[in-house]
Amino acid sequence: MRCTVLPERGGRDMAQQLSAAPQWLAAAVTRVVALIFTLLEVLLIGRFLLKLGGANASQPFVAGFFHNTDPLVQPFQGIFPQPADAASFDLAALLAAIFIVLATALLVGVVRTLLGSRPG
């Protein structure tokens, strides 16, 4: 008795289907990673702009926003001295946003390398 693998409706054989799976998975994972890290970048840039604009930190929305973004900024606080008169320039938030951009690029590159996706 002879066993034959029949192609699926699209005319692709099993090997083509299996090779396409990692590319699809890599694309999905990179999109999710990019979305999550983009949201973090937007939060950090929002924090930077609120501080730069002199937002009232006693207002509940602003206070909550600063409180919720503090864990993202804390590792970068104190790296560079902050002059007392420049309290509205949040250098730590800017550094954190730059770090997130670099971490996103690294993570997407690693995922694409591990799953065999081509850039583009």
Side-chain angles (χ1 to χ4, degrees):
M1 179 176 238
R2 188 173 160 184
C3 181
T4 307
V5 176
L6 297 174
E8 206 172 289
R9 280 189 222 168
R12 298 183 306 175
D13 63 356
M14 187 63 81
Q16 288 173 329
Q17 291 173 12
L18 291 176
S19 69
Q23 291 176 357
W24 174 85
L25 182 61
V29 170
T30 54
R31 284 186 185 132
V32 169
V33 166
L35 175 66
I36 291 169
F37 280 88
T38 300
L39 290 174
L40 293 176
E41 291 167 24
V42 167
L43 289 174
L44 289 168
I45 297 299
R47 176 188 173 107
F48 176 78
L49 292 175
L50 283 173
K51 288 255 184 162
L52 190 63
N56 182 5
S58 63
Q59 198 269 343
F61 172 77
V62 176
F65 194 82
F66 287 160
H67 176 73
N68 289 326
T69 55
D70 271 343
L72 298 171
V73 174
Q74 281 179 348
F76 301 95
Q77 289 176 338
I79 291 178
F80 296 108
Q82 183 88 12
D85 60 339
S88 64
F89 189 79
D90 195 359
L91 184 60
L94 196 57
L95 289 173
I98 291 168
F99 177 79
I100 295 276
V101 168
L102 296 174
T104 304
L106 178 67
L107 207 57
V108 166
V110 167
V111 168
R112 286 183 175 168
T113 300
L114 290 177
L115 295 178
S117 176
R118 295 184 195 122

